[in-house]
Amino acid sequence: MLFSIKNRLFILFLCFSIVSFSQTIPCKNITINDGLPSNNIKCIFKDSRGVLWIGTEDGLCSYNGKEYKIYNETNGLKSNNVWSIAEDNQHNLWFALYGEGITKFDGKKFSYYNTKNGLLHNGVRKIYFSNKYNCLIIGTENGLSLFDGKKFKYFTEKTLIDK
């Protein structure tokens, strides 16, 4: 035999090592110099259309791979403090605006929901859309809200203990 099994394994290992170390993952750092409203990023979300959404303490940014678009209090966003992003099954984007509740963006306009509409608390930290239950799950300072597009239901520590 020209090569023993041990030598063959060593050569195979060497080839895989060279291939794996030669691969680099493409990455790009994005900052305010590139178009972000702030370097204080709270959340990142890629929607079903491939657009990257970046929520910051100074507004919202969308990036389609070529250009950035900023949404903030000067062009329709009620609050610059975007903590979480979700997308529903109708391709509407939902943003948690900490201190101002949540907003739905249909691609053209923003619709706002807060305690006046039935949201448990305006201090929203996290949102998630459940395809299984077809509702938005909203984590607030005082408990959990569920929104089916028409009305809110909510759960607090007290309601969970009472049941």
Side-chain angles (χ1 to χ4, degrees):
M1 292 179 97
L2 186 57
F3 293 106
S4 69
I5 292 179
K6 190 175 183 181
N7 287 339
R8 288 180 193 170
L9 289 174
F10 176 74
I11 291 170
L12 187 63
F13 174 75
L14 185 63
C15 289
F16 281 125
S17 297
I18 291 170
V19 169
S20 66
F21 285 116
S22 67
Q23 295 178 1
T24 57
I25 298 171
C27 117
K28 178 181 178 184
N29 291 325
I30 301 171
T31 67
I32 57 173
N33 296 330
D34 299 300
L36 285 182
S38 169
N39 287 334
N40 295 321
I41 296 172
K42 293 291 188 182
C43 57
I44 298 173
F45 182 82
K46 188 174 183 181
D47 71 16
S48 62
R49 294 176 178 101
V51 176
L52 185 67
W53 293 86
I54 305 163
T56 75
E57 291 180 352
D58 290 322
L60 178 66
C61 179
S62 67
Y63 178 63
N64 63 9
K66 296 179 183 176
E67 58 188 9
Y68 299 91
K69 184 168 184 181
I70 305 296
Y71 302 89
N72 55 32
E73 291 175 3
T74 62
N75 62 359
L77 205 57
K78 198 175 247 187
S79 171
N80 288 339
N81 208 357
V82 181
W83 276 47
S84 186
I85 305 168
E87 182 177 18
D88 65 21
N89 54 10
Q90 302 296 314
H91 303 289
N92 296 308
L93 291 168
W94 293 84
F95 306 106
L97 304 177
Y98 187 80
E100 293 291 335
I102 60 174
T103 185
K104 178 177 79 171
F105 183 60
D106 64 7
K108 296 178 183 175
K109 65 179 173 71
F110 294 98
S111 302
Y112 295 95
Y113 303 88
N114 56 30
T115 54
K116 292 177 184 175
N117 306 101
L119 182 64
L120 179 62
H121 193 276
N122 288 334
V124 178
R125 293 184 179 262
K126 186 72 177 163
I127 55 177
Y128 172 79
F129 185 79
S130 170
N131 284 315
K132 182 176 181 178
Y133 297 106
N134 196 30
C135 72
L136 196 64
I137 303 169
I138 307 153
T140 75
E141 290 278 318
N142 287 350
L144 191 66
S145 286
L146 302 177
F147 185 58
D148 64 5
K150 295 178 183 163
K151 68 178 193 168
F152 287 93
K153 293 179 183 177
Y154 60 87
F155 305 92
T156 64
E157 183 179 0
K158 184 177 179 182
T159 60
L160 292 175
I161 292 172
D162 289 341
K163 290 186 176 185

